[in-house]
Amino acid sequence: MATISFARGVPAPECLAVEELADCARVALERDGHTILSYGSPSGYAPLREWIAEQHGVEPERVFITNGSLQGFVFLSQHLAAHKRVLVERPTYDRPLKILRELGYEVELLPCDDEGLDPDALEQILRDGFPPAFLYLIPTFQNPSGRTLSLERRRRIVELAREHGLLVYEDDPYGLVRYEGEPLPSLFDLSGGEVIYGSSFSKTVAPGLRVGWFVFPKALAREVEATATATYITPVLLGQATVNEFLRRGSFEPNLQRVNGFLGARRDAMLAALDEYLPGIRTTRPQGGYFLWLELGGVDSSVLLARAEEAGVTFVKGTDFGGAPDTARLAFSFVSLDEIRDGVARLAAALPVSV
Ligand SMILES: Cc1ncc(COP(=O)(O)O)c(C=O)c1O
């Protein structure tokens, strides 16, 4: 029996527009090969920087493109490490947690509920403590919880940041991966561009192209650029030029709609299966993104995981994200509709106690 993976937060193969992207790569190379195949700016491929700058209403000098947004997160964290203290949501994306700890940061996890980060807790920390280097936030369809920070809290957090001179990094790879409801303004927009904004084409085009971007304040852009130069001279321009061609020929929107339709159907299937097989379990019901967050009512998710793997299904324990022992992340982005139903049935059968 093959294991069904609710652990993999990656797009299913059907999401990847392979032929179209192959054509984009070929066209980009034929048109601009001498630039793409050489060393260039540490901040990325100029035509793509310009496109992103226009989307955000900023000068291209503020846009910094990296080999995936996680690489940019490393650059930023390395650059700010002198302050040694960082605030994050509890739970939060596990890779930044590891990166921050490896860089020697003292990581402070702030409480969240269904509306996202609790601004009162943030205010308390800012009043009481040693000033942190920055706040790392994933406000929309958060990894791992799928939660979205409410508009009121977005406003409050932006105000608090301004009042206390707190640097905020808004990580937003899922903002456009919305298959229901209306988008909320980003913290970047609400702050008039003071918040650092980061996103990626990993969820909207293809993760293997490794194209992520940041909008920094100008001075910070120059400083982080120096770290990038010292690390790899130039990011991979072929991936960026391929994305640029994909955008300029008008393929981005139709592809996004196709991907969002695919993901929405998977979210529906997972919620329906959970309602059917695990009606006592509390879960988030996101309008976009890749993930659901389960609260297992006192059941230790490490015990459940061991039993679930024997039953042929896997997921990620909430503690990997700094969450409580009785929480779990289920990804529905990679699995088929049939696998979702079967996997949830296996999970229900593996539960050590009835809930
Ligand atoms: C919140 C968040 N940020 C960043 C990333 C990484 O994006 P990239 O592929 O651009 O490095 C992910 C990937 O899963 C993510 O969930």
Side-chain angles (χ1 to χ4, degrees), residues 9 67-71 93 136 138 143 171 173-174 199-200 202-203 207 210-212 291:
N67 294 335
S69 62
L70 209 54
Q71 175 74 70
Y93 181 28
Y136 171 60
I138 312 159
N143 181 2
D171 186 10
Y174 302 103
S199 188
S200 168
S202 289
K203 318 295 168 184
R210 305 310 296 132
V211 185
F291 308 109

Side-chain angles (χ1 to χ4, degrees), residues 158-203:
V158 164
E159 270 167 33
L160 284 171
R162 197 166 281 154
E163 193 182 317
H164 293 269
L166 172 70
L167 191 63
V168 178
Y169 167 39
E170 172 178 27
D171 186 10
D172 189 32
Y174 302 103
L176 293 177
V177 187
R178 171 181 285 279
Y179 23 88
E180 202 179 285
E182 290 304 312
L184 293 177
S186 63
L187 276 75
F188 175 84
D189 285 340
L190 289 171
S191 70
E194 282 173 23
V195 160
I196 297 171
Y197 182 86
S199 188
S200 168
F201 291 103
S202 289
K203 318 295 168 184

Side-chain angles (χ1 to χ4, degrees), residues 42-43 64 75 78-79 219-233:
S43 297
F64 179 72
F75 289 154
Q78 283 172 338
H79 180 68
L220 193 57
R222 273 195 301 275
E223 287 159 12
V224 177
E225 214 176 70
T227 311
T229 308
T231 306
Y232 53 38
I233 311 174

Side-chain angles (χ1 to χ4, degrees), residues 1 4-5 51 56 79 91 102 123 144 146 150 152 159 161 171 175-176 180 190 194 251 261 275 280-281 301 343:
M1 178 177 57
I4 295 171
S5 177
W51 187 90
H56 292 291
H79 180 68
E102 270 164 26
E123 183 166 18
S150 67
E152 198 191 323
E159 270 167 33
D171 186 10
L176 293 177
E180 202 179 285
L190 289 171
E194 282 173 23
S251 298
D275 286 345
I281 295 279
S301 65

Side-chain angles (χ1 to χ4, degrees), residues 33-42 44 229 231-237:
H34 287 103
T35 301
I36 296 163
L37 296 177
S38 189
Y39 292 116
S41 162
T229 308
T231 306
Y232 53 38
I233 311 174
T234 304
V236 181
L237 298 178

